[in-house]
Amino acid sequence: MEKYALLARLEAKAGKEEEVAAFLKSALPLVLEEPETVNWYGWQIGASTFGIFDTFETEEGRKAHLAGKIAEALMANAGTLLAKDPVIEFVELLAVK
């Protein structure tokens, strides 16, 4: 059962919304290579707020994801695409279906 998660909130720079959406969509093949990432969601709320929510069975899996290719690519592109630094929250899951 997943016990751990990450919630990352991303605010796109004005005019970069489509590029942020494309970035999230392009990350799917990278996360498919991560056996310890159980679920991964790229999402959008409103015109410029985006994010990632992902779940893990172990803390080690969560740490591996944070050190992986998606996090690396996000940080490499953050200055170009995002209005401010990503907000990344560590989530402890209480119930999962």
Side-chain angles (χ1 to χ4, degrees):
M1 179 183 111
E2 303 105 299
K3 295 180 180 181
Y4 307 95
L6 290 168
L7 176 63
R9 197 170 179 97
L10 316 171
E11 191 66 34
K13 281 185 178 177
K16 297 290 185 177
E17 297 85 358
E18 288 183 23
E19 290 180 55
V20 174
F23 171 82
L24 289 175
K25 291 175 185 177
S26 74
L28 183 58
L30 297 175
V31 78
L32 291 174
E33 296 175 8
E34 297 182 356
E36 295 184 73
T37 302
V38 178
N39 290 297
W40 183 91
Y41 306 89
W43 49 268
Q44 180 176 2
I45 299 173
S48 63
T49 302
F50 296 83
I52 298 169
F53 181 76
D54 31 28
T55 66
F56 314 88
E57 292 181 352
T58 66
E59 178 63 27
E60 292 77 21
R62 181 163 62 181
K63 287 179 182 177
H65 179 72
L66 284 171
K69 293 178 183 178
I70 295 172
E72 182 180 325
L74 177 60
M75 297 318 290
N77 290 289
T80 303
L81 299 176
L82 304 180
K84 57 185 177 181
D85 290 340
V87 176
I88 301 173
E89 298 179 283
F90 288 69
V91 178
E92 303 301 320
L93 299 173
L94 302 177
V96 176
K97 177 182 185 262

